[in-house]
Amino acid sequence: MSVRTGRLVRTVVLGAVVATGVSTTVFMAPASAQEAGASSHTATQRAMDAAVHDGVPGVVGVAQRNGRIWSGDAGVADLTTGRERRAPDRFRVGSITKTFVATVMLQLEAEGRLSLDDTVDHWLPGVVAGNGHDGTKITLRQLLNHTSGIYNYTADKAFQAKVFGPDFLKNRYDTYTPGQLVAIAMAHKPDFAPGTSWNYSNTNFVLAGMVIQKATGHSYASEIDHRILRPLHLRSTTLPGTDARMPRPSGRAYSKLSQEATGPTYDVTELNPSIASSAGEVISDSGDLDRFYRALLTGELLPQRQLKEMTTTVRLSPDAGYGLGLMADKLPCGTEVWGHDGGIHGSTSVALTTKDGRHSLAFNFNGDWSGDPKAVVVAEFCGTSPAAKAVK
């Protein structure tokens, strides 16, 4: 959830419309492989350094190219102690959670337990209703690709004042149920009639999490755990529910709690992630995120039919599209990458891979008011970055 945008996703990779934007304990290659690949990631390291120069407290990330894994970092994990960021550090991934949720939904479809053409009302009778919202006319597919028209609860002004501004400091431990978050959205008119346009709405994925529970009898968190985290051995990835604490190892997360990139810097590490629910609850590390997206795009988690559905995109611009909880972006050098980004208080994350899984990147800024994540992406996949050149 980003203070600057008032939504769980932050615009970083995909330009003006939307952004792209998990392990064993540390998903890293032996030292010899890291050393062999280090020279090819020089631009990436410089882009990370440039982000710190721009004001981000610290950056950490992992890249994989043709089986060789490289880790990079810059800046600090803790402004008080000066402890540097480290590859195993965990962080809140925000809207990257959406890809996990969409993957579970598609697995359920493959098992015949639901259809993406089912209406929301079929699974959640009467939940999407009021002020023009009508769950009998919205499909599960439209939730996952943001064509439902359902109002984004994080755009509600009262919610923003309580959660994104300085009042966050006295409300950070408050618990929200999924039903309460949906009710905030239902107090507003929809953005458009279902299927007629596109608009990013966190409410869509709160509803998707509710559907998973209705279809399976288990929470979306438990389904993600046994369907994705355990099979892929993503031991650094967790869904904390209402627990405001961060698991170790982790650094701190920092925010200005303002639309402006000025003023005091606040430690916002602790927060009750129920404000994000199935739209942005996950905690992970760079290695786990890298492993997850490579496994997903190369068919380890979904049959080909469902993977094709996931990667069928709504075109947002000539070079960008949104599938089912998954983004596509063609970079300036012509390379196409798939993944997602996520922003939540004090944390900006991006995880991307080429469709064949041969080149991937996952990284995190532990601040939400400065730095250029796209520069890091372009540096890794294209080998150059304007931001990187600015730092001597």
Side-chain angles (χ1 to χ4, degrees):
M1 189 176 294
S2 170
V3 172
R4 292 169 64 184
T5 62
R7 58 184 191 173
L8 289 173
V9 73
R10 180 180 173 189
T11 303
V12 291
V13 176
L14 295 182
V17 184
V18 69
T20 52
V22 359
S23 117
T24 53
T25 302
V26 189
F27 187 72
M28 296 173 62
S32 59
Q34 287 184 310
E35 291 166 2
S39 61
S40 62
H41 301 279
T42 301
T44 311
Q45 183 62 60
R46 288 177 177 169
M48 290 180 172
D49 294 339
V52 173
H53 184 266
D54 190 44
V56 177
V59 186
V60 67
V62 165
Q64 183 269 154
R65 188 180 300 172
N66 295 322
R68 291 182 172 180
I69 299 171
W70 170 88
S71 63
D73 59 75
V76 298
D78 189 320
L79 290 172
T80 301
T81 66
R83 197 267 277 178
E84 295 180 351
R85 296 210 73 177
R86 301 166 185 159
D89 282 351
R90 303 180 188 185
F91 44 82
R92 301 187 191 279
V93 309
S95 283
I96 288 173
T97 302
K98 292 178 172 65
T99 312
F100 287 85
V101 171
T103 301
V104 170
M105 290 277 277
L106 285 159
Q107 288 179 342
L108 292 174
E109 182 194 55
E111 295 163 9
R113 300 175 71 175
L114 56 74
S115 167
L116 295 189
D117 296 319
D118 290 343
T119 66
V120 175
D121 204 68
H122 172 80
W123 290 100
L124 305 171
V127 172
V128 176
N131 289 305
H133 287 98
D134 185 352
T136 68
K137 298 179 180 178
I138 298 168
T139 67
L140 302 186
R141 189 186 311 276
Q142 289 168 340
L143 295 182
L144 299 184
N145 67 11
H146 295 298
T147 60
S148 72
I150 295 173
Y151 185 84
N152 181 9
Y153 76 89
T154 60
D156 178 84
K157 297 301 182 185
F159 184 85
Q160 288 184 350
K162 188 174 183 179
V163 171
F164 295 113
D167 280 354
F168 163 80
L169 298 172
K170 62 183 181 183
N171 299 316
R172 68 200 301 168
Y173 301 111
D174 291 355
T175 294
Y176 290 85
T177 67
Q180 287 175 317
L181 299 178
V182 173
I184 292 171
M186 294 302 104
H188 298 265
K189 293 180 179 179
D191 295 323
F192 48 81
T196 63
S197 189
W198 186 93
N199 191 49
Y200 192 94
S201 175
N202 293 298
T203 315
N204 288 326
F205 276 79
V206 175
L207 289 163
M210 295 169 71
V211 170
I212 289 171
Q213 179 150 1
K214 192 69 175 290
T216 66
H218 306 117
S219 70
Y220 67 86
S222 64
E223 291 294 318
I224 288 172
D225 182 59
H226 88 259
R227 290 171 174 273
I228 301 174
L229 306 188
R230 293 184 189 183
L232 294 183
H233 306 292
L234 305 183
R235 299 188 181 97
S236 293
T237 304
T238 57
L239 291 99
T242 60
D243 190 342
R245 299 166 297 178
M246 285 292 294
R248 296 181 179 180
S250 61
R252 311 303 293 176
Y254 298 98
S255 178
K256 297 295 185 181
L257 294 177
S258 169
Q259 294 287 341
E260 306 299 324
T262 57
T265 298
Y266 298 97
D267 186 322
V268 295
T269 307
E270 290 197 356
L271 63 85
N272 185 327
S274 66
I275 59 171
S277 187
S278 46
E281 176 192 342
V282 166
I283 291 171
S284 190
D285 70 2
S286 300
D288 270 18
L289 292 178
D290 183 79
R291 167 73 176 125
F292 168 60
Y293 279 100
R294 287 191 294 111
L296 177 62
L297 269 296
T298 56
E300 289 188 49
L301 294 172
L302 293 174
Q304 277 303 115
R305 178 189 165 195
Q306 276 67 39
L307 186 56
K308 184 177 179 180
E309 286 188 283
M310 191 178 221
T311 55
T312 299
T313 63
V314 178
R315 228 356 82 179
L316 307 181
S317 74
D319 296 323
Y322 199 98
L324 304 182
L326 190 69
M327 310 291 304
D329 186 32
K330 183 174 288 186
L331 299 175
C333 57
T335 298
E336 183 179 65
V337 290
W338 294 81
H340 216 289
D341 80 331
I344 193 165
H345 298 69
S347 182
T348 300
S349 307
V350 178
L352 301 165
T353 182
T354 52
K355 207 168 187 180
D356 61 8
R358 298 183 68 179
H359 192 177
S360 54
L361 169 70
F363 65 93
N364 172 262
F365 292 178
N366 64 344
D368 60 19
W369 69 91
S370 62
D372 183 359
K374 185 166 185 177
V376 180
V377 172
V378 173
E380 175 59 32
F381 289 98
C382 300
T384 183
S385 170
K389 297 175 183 177
V391 178
K392 303 297 183 184

